[in-house]
Amino acid sequence: TKVIHEKRQDYLRDEEKILETNFEQKLLIIDKIKKLSENTKPNHNAWQQAIKKVQEQRDKFFEIGRVPRTKNRETWSAFKDVTRSFNRSKNAFYKDQKTEQYQNLEKKQELVKIANEHKNSDDFDTVTPLMKRIQTEWKKIGHVPRKQSDKIWKEFKDACNHYFNRLFTDKDKANEGELENFQKKETLLSTIENLELSGDKEADMKLLTGYMDTWHEIGRVPRNKMQIDKKFNRVLDSVFKKLKVSKADAELLKYNNRLHALASQNNKDKLKNEHFFISKKIDETKDSIRQLENNLGFFQNADESNPLFRD
């Protein structure tokens, strides 16, 4: 009985150590769950990882054996508190996520509305930047509720694709038209280059200004063919020279013709820019005149043989 009693005492001492070790391990698990609850980043992936880790810690907690009886209630209470706190934080995050997702849904629905309102517009210069901007805004908006995600994306994508398909079709047609314009201008340029003057300056000028009007009525050419306009001006200069039209008059004729072309295109922005440019040049010229007149004042009593005065 003494041997049995000693063995029992040894067993109880070893058991007490085991229970204490179990207690310490469970405290470590409780601390890990607490840290996960407090330090999880506010995004879906982070919380999914945290949920997985907490479940692993829960499983370990229950796999660990008993703790000292005096500490059992304390351990279980602490474990329940940290898991409850973790679940509250998780639920609060997803509740906020749900609210945010519905707010995102409203923002995306507004963009869908804009896309649908403009998908059949022919004002490509105005609408194209708008459509590109709402596509950029769409990417910046976060997630929407999953059950709405595919549907709203399809509606937005279809509206944008519809618009841009029309835009590219229109550009293709415009490119074809611009090539035709280039061919017409080539023909007209050849006609002017081979023009035989009648000798009647007034009649020849009338014919030439008619050609200039026709040139601008033909319209735009492809961007890589725009050199033909410079060639046209060089040919005009050559004809004006034959007609003995002064350089200033020739420039004025070409400029008048250019203004008529801008007016016929009904391009208000270009006309406004031209007005601004001319107004600026007038102001600069007036300033130069005032400066020259001021400078002349210094030479009122100068000797006319003075080379600086003559200059």
Side-chain angles (χ1 to χ4, degrees), residues 48-82:
Q48 288 301 306
Q49 289 295 321
I51 290 168
K52 186 177 177 182
K53 288 176 183 176
V54 166
Q55 187 58 48
E56 289 171 358
Q57 295 302 318
R58 280 172 57 87
D59 293 341
K60 285 181 184 179
F61 185 89
F62 291 114
E63 286 170 6
I64 295 170
R66 295 179 299 113
V67 299
R69 184 175 296 178
T70 56
K71 297 177 180 178
N72 186 52
R73 182 174 292 180
E74 172 193 344
T75 310
W76 177 243
S77 178
F79 177 72
K80 283 196 302 181
D81 287 344
V82 292

Side-chain angles (χ1 to χ4, degrees), residues 204-220:
D204 289 335
M205 284 296 298
K206 188 174 181 180
L207 178 64
L208 195 59
T209 51
Y211 284 147
M212 291 164 68
D213 290 340
T214 304
W215 182 273
H216 289 292
E217 284 169 6
I218 289 172
R220 287 170 56 88

Side-chain angles (χ1 to χ4, degrees), residues 296 299 302-311:
L296 284 172
F299 293 98
D303 183 356
E304 291 187 6
S305 63
N306 186 318
L308 183 60
F309 176 78
R310 288 205 307 273
D311 190 45

Side-chain angles (χ1 to χ4, degrees), residues 181-192 215 228:
N181 292 344
F182 175 71
Q183 290 165 0
K184 289 177 183 177
K185 284 191 172 183
E186 274 194 320
T187 303
L188 182 58
L189 187 61
S190 177
T191 301
I192 299 171
W215 182 273
I228 197 169

Side-chain angles (χ1 to χ4, degrees), residues 78-113:
F79 177 72
K80 283 196 302 181
D81 287 344
V82 292
T83 52
R84 192 180 294 119
S85 175
F86 175 82
N87 287 329
R88 275 200 295 264
S89 298
K90 176 196 71 175
N91 293 338
F93 168 75
Y94 279 105
K95 185 178 179 181
D96 291 342
Q97 280 284 95
K98 200 168 186 180
T99 302
E100 185 179 338
Q101 285 181 359
Y102 276 105
Q103 289 172 346
N104 292 340
L105 178 62
E106 289 178 3
K107 292 176 184 177
K108 288 192 172 183
Q109 284 172 336
E110 188 62 32
L111 296 183
V112 169
K113 182 181 176 184

